[in-house]
Amino acid sequence: MPSVKPLRVSDETQNATQTATLTERPWNVVVWDDPVTPMSVVVVIFRKIFGYPNNKATQLMLTVHHEGRAIVWSGPLERAQGYCVKLQVAGLLATIEQDS
Amino acid sequence: MAGRLFVRRRDGRIEVRLNDAGREMAREAFGHVLAAEVDPEHDWHASLNAPINPGSDVDDPLAVFNRQHDVTSNVELAVATLNEEFLNDAEAWAWLCSLQVALRAFITAKGLLSADRLEESDEGTRDYIKTLQILLFALADVM
């Protein structure tokens, strides 16, 4: 059996990080409406990037269309940022914001 | 417009039925995206560098780098396959993303971010937008 060195400082740091992760407010990925993007294109992009089924992707697209914006994903900052970049690469107007 | 511009074949490939004028328009749009990515003076440059987190003064440099890399990769793949008769799914996705980036960059550069502004724009501008929309709609329909 390999010997394991106790790593007190790292453990404490890790615990603190985990606690912060659990208590931190999530980040929202927001998609904004524009007057030109075809609705079916938005649905395809949501399906492809998030793997959402067609009905969920369509519902989110309609929220963007009728309300001007929709939160399409929420979670940790790094992943929210990654999704936002993918949406921008696909040509949608997307931003991130921390949940209030 | 007669016929469908893109057709999903039984073997999974997407047939491109654009005529020379359609391919030329796509080539021009892709060319603008490529140029705008590296040229800060290009009209479309600002749209390609939209904020990721507007609540922060500066976006994460890694996220900005990833965006630039992925936009460029997509448009380079789209340009490389412009004359192909068939596209696979990855190539069709690169076309869709690049055409949509072009559409958004075009309206952003022209300040046409509302339906009212769009209505007030000139006929040539509206025709260009409509043609890109037709290409996008047809492509999304087979994806």
Side-chain angles (χ1 to χ4, degrees):
Chain A
M1 194 172 172
S3 62
V4 179
K5 264 188 179 175
L7 295 169
R8 265 172 212 263
V9 175
S10 296
D11 285 350
E12 282 171 11
T13 306
Q14 193 177 354
N15 285 341
T17 305
Q18 284 171 344
T19 306
T21 303
L22 288 172
T23 55
E24 197 174 70
R25 286 174 290 140
W27 286 78
N28 299 327
V29 180
V30 180
V31 171
W32 301 82
D33 190 31
D34 71 54
V36 293
T37 304
M39 292 180 177
S40 57
V41 171
V42 180
V43 172
V44 166
I45 291 171
F46 287 168
R47 278 182 9 219
K48 172 87 174 175
I49 289 177
F50 297 105
Y52 290 155
N54 200 54
N55 58 348
K56 180 168 183 178
T58 302
Q59 193 160 10
L60 285 170
M61 176 277 293
L62 288 172
T63 304
V64 173
H65 182 66
H66 292 302
E67 297 179 18
R69 55 170 266 165
I71 294 170
V72 296
W73 191 87
S74 290
L77 172 61
E78 199 172 324
R79 289 189 65 194
Q81 201 164 247
Y83 279 132
C84 183
V85 165
K86 284 176 191 284
L87 291 164
Q88 290 189 350
V89 169
L92 297 189
L93 183 53
T95 55
I96 60 169
E97 63 185 24
Q98 196 161 23
D99 203 23
S100 51
Chain B
M1 188 171 290
R4 296 166 66 188
L5 300 177
F6 300 95
V7 176
R8 172 75 75 171
R9 303 291 294 261
R10 289 170 68 182
D11 62 6
R13 293 181 302 169
I14 294 169
E15 184 181 351
V16 183
R17 293 183 175 176
L18 295 181
N19 59 18
D20 288 346
R23 288 182 195 263
E24 188 52 41
M25 180 166 185
R27 186 190 314 280
E28 187 197 21
F30 297 157
H32 276 302
V33 174
L34 266 180
E37 191 60 85
V38 294
D39 179 6
E41 301 298 318
H42 195 288
D43 285 348
W44 294 12
H45 186 78
S47 174
L48 299 181
N49 290 276
I52 295 166
N53 178 7
S56 171
D57 289 338
V58 183
D59 282 322
D60 178 1
L62 182 60
V64 171
F65 172 80
N66 286 339
R67 177 177 60 192
Q68 184 175 18
H69 174 269
D70 290 354
V71 167
T72 303
S73 296
N74 277 338
V75 77
E76 283 178 349
L77 180 57
V79 168
T81 54
L82 252 172
N83 295 320
E84 295 293 331
E85 192 178 349
F86 297 98
L87 302 176
N88 63 30
D89 281 340
E91 292 160 352
W93 175 248
W95 276 54
L96 185 94
C97 291
S98 300
L99 288 169
Q100 175 59 28
V101 165
L103 177 60
R104 267 208 49 76
F106 181 76
I107 64 155
T108 303
K110 295 265 183 189
L112 306 174
L113 295 172
S114 70
D116 290 343
R117 294 296 306 274
L118 200 58
E119 281 294 315
E120 292 164 9
S121 63
D122 63 78
E123 194 178 342
T125 297
R126 287 202 303 273
D127 281 349
Y128 184 77
I129 291 169
K130 193 173 177 186
T131 308
L132 281 179
Q133 287 175 319
I134 289 169
L135 288 175
L136 280 161
F137 185 84
L139 194 49
D141 197 40
V142 295
M143 292 183 73

